[in-house]
Amino acid sequence: MDHTDHTTREKPLILIADDDDATRMLLKQALDNEGYMIIEAEDGIEAVNLYTAHKPDMVILDVMMPGMSGFDACRNMRESDNSAHLPILMLTSLDDINSIDAAFEAGATDFTTKPINWRLIRQRINYALRAYKNDQELQTNQLRLSHALEVASLGHWDWDLKTNELRWSEHINAIFGLKPELNQGSFESFLGRVHPEDRGLVTHAVERALKSTESYSIDHRIIRLDGQERILHEHAEVIQDKLGRPVRMIGMAQDITERIRAEETIRRHVYYNDLTGLPNRRLFNERMQHAHEIANREEQHFAVILLDLDRLKVINDTHGYGTGDFLLKAIGNRLQETVRSQDTVAMLGSDEFAILVEGIENPENINTMCIDLLQAVSRECVINGQGFYITASMGITLYPDDNTSHKNFLQHAESAMYAAKENGGNQFCFYNKDINTRAQQRLQVDMALHEAVKHRELEVYYQPQIDVDSGRIIGMEALTRWNNQKLGAVSPAEFIPAAENNGLIIPMGEWVLRTACEQAAKWHRDGYSDLRMSVNLSPRQFQCKNLPEYIENVLDETGLDPRRLELEITESCTISDHEAGIKILERLKALGIRVSIDDFGTGYSSLSYLHKLPIDAVKIDRAFVTCIGENGENGVIARTIITMAHSLGLSVIAEGIEEPHHLEFLRQEGCNEAQGFLVSRPVNVGEIDQLLELSLKTPVAVVR
Ligand code: C2E
Ligand code: MG
Ligand code: MG
């Protein structure tokens, strides 16, 4: 039954029940000017019927009535719905305590005795009605509030710091999925329901609030009793006593899971591509702008790569969009697997991807990444048992090299991408012409190098090393040469770094080592038994775990005495992982192999660093030798290296001696060995054989 009638009714409705016509009439008169509506009943039964039919805002009941007494009628009304607060005034002519008690027991709100004091009764009725109205409003508000709290999933709690008693509202139970009758616990019992990963956050917030007596607002996860994970927003405040000591904490908690999920969904739609789940143009633009700011602040490089699939339209037309979509998803995944985790792969259009590569240390690395990306795209993709092949065209712009504002990045990358497409697709193109030319060369070298190893286009040359004092040849350095039909003679300075990058240095280096060791063993058999063979090892080879075993194997198979093998490593070999580097060197030394540090003086070398390495010799870099003047000027670095190395018990070899005075200076400074064009350029085996024969025949050394 609707009991908010009083709000819809214009005037309050009063039911007067009395078997005495006079009393009813007088009451009506008394209330005449108060603006009430009145209905009348002559006995108890009629009173109950009228009450049920009209739900008046107040009832005035005579105690003594025929049929049903006022007490019974009162009880009857009270038992009906929503009548708990209905004001019922009982009129009694029996001025005794018993009937007053009986009236209250029956549920009356108030009573008055006959004869009625007419002035007073008016005020009493007005008062009762006003109280009833307020009561009704309060009830409605409470109901609304409770409703609102429920809708907002808002609960509140109160924590007594002294007793550690935590009380909470029923909404908290709903949020945590607890039983309704439970409304009390401790801080620890609450913390037990917080997601384990967020407990630190909550404890920290509470501790800080208690210390500073400032409020806090945090979002954290909870685990409901049924195991469900929800996200809460909590706001809490500290209540202090008169002395400012915290005594209680009160707070409210709101379940914001749906809101967060909705936000996530919106975010996904706004920032990500629906098909692939990759960032879309909007997010890519934001990241690009961010990269631009960082690059300016920290003087870094970054690249924007635009990647367009070459024949997707053909596949869409012949096999349907379903196949095309599948392919796009697969390609998106592959691109992401190929780049580093900090790079952004985005989907800009129907078949266009973009990649943001940040924090580039060496712009050359982009080259390698682009080759990898091309290969990743062109791998076979199997859809419903059928194999598909697709290729991509890529355009790259580099910042700051291309000197563009972030608004132009995509445009530049796009024009470069079209250039790649015009060249036939399945390739990449840099926006910057110079970089592009270099990249194309690198690409050509890279591709040709694969063939070179297979087709034995490589050859090992040897350059003699002499003892500075006697001028006799004591060793050879193996230096690789590559002659390609199309490219001609390619310099090691170009193809060695390329092979380093694409991994070919491993098979190539093994081949050089084996060839050099075989050759040295042959020279030993031919009578040059002291001749030492120096082979260069690249950092990537040095990182191979089985390097010592492999070398031991080669020595076994070629029959070369380990003491006649020297490995030239650069400082960078042992820089990245110093401890691991030392371990490998120790194992090589245990085999009896000699180790020298190549290009010494150009790297990170420091005395303390060298001191810890188990090595035998240092090779002064050519740069410090060729600059030595006729009177020894500019020889200070060479001199310092010699002194320093000798103090560590290391032997010193100088490379790049081109002039007799270079050799003379080095001899005076006590340098042990030398190598350079003055003695001989690196030459093929045939020429070395002649040179060796010559040095054997003439008792005088090759250079004196
Ligand atoms: P490197 O090990 O320092 O080799 C010495 C380089 O200096 C050689 O260059 C050699 O031809 C050159 N050279 C020797 N004497 C003189 C001289 O008097 N004047 C001048 N101007 N140059 C001289 P190359 O053969 O071009 O090799 C360049 C670099 O390539 C080598 O430097 C080495 O680091 C690397 N390399 C060559 N072959 C191999 C190899 O088989 N494996 C590895 N890992 N690296 C190799
Ligand atoms: Mg060398
Ligand atoms: Mg060198």
Side-chain angles (χ1 to χ4, degrees), residues 463 477 480-481 492 536 538 598-599 622 655-656 658 676-677 682:
Q463 187 178 32
E477 176 172 9
T480 309
R481 293 292 175 262
N536 292 288
S538 92
D598 205 352
D599 305 337
R622 197 169 73 220
E655 52 182 343
E658 294 179 354
F677 292 173

Side-chain angles (χ1 to χ4, degrees), residues 258-317:
E258 304 311 330
R259 196 189 83 203
I260 298 277
R261 288 195 185 142
E263 281 170 4
E264 269 168 19
T265 315
I266 292 169
R267 214 186 117 71
R268 285 217 78 75
H269 280 301
V270 175
Y271 284 115
Y272 293 86
N273 176 275
D274 286 341
L275 176 68
T276 54
L278 292 173
N280 63 13
R281 189 180 290 269
R282 186 191 298 252
L283 184 54
F284 191 76
N285 277 334
E286 279 182 21
R287 298 235 171 122
M288 214 158 53
Q289 199 170 340
H290 184 68
H292 189 209
E293 284 161 15
I294 295 208
N296 281 341
R297 201 169 56 227
E298 295 174 12
E299 291 183 15
Q300 279 187 353
H301 294 260
F302 72 89
V304 173
I305 305 175
L306 201 70
L307 186 150
D308 189 275
L309 297 178
D310 290 329
R311 289 181 318 114
L312 189 73
K313 195 179 171 317
V314 182
I315 294 182
N316 273 338
D317 288 349

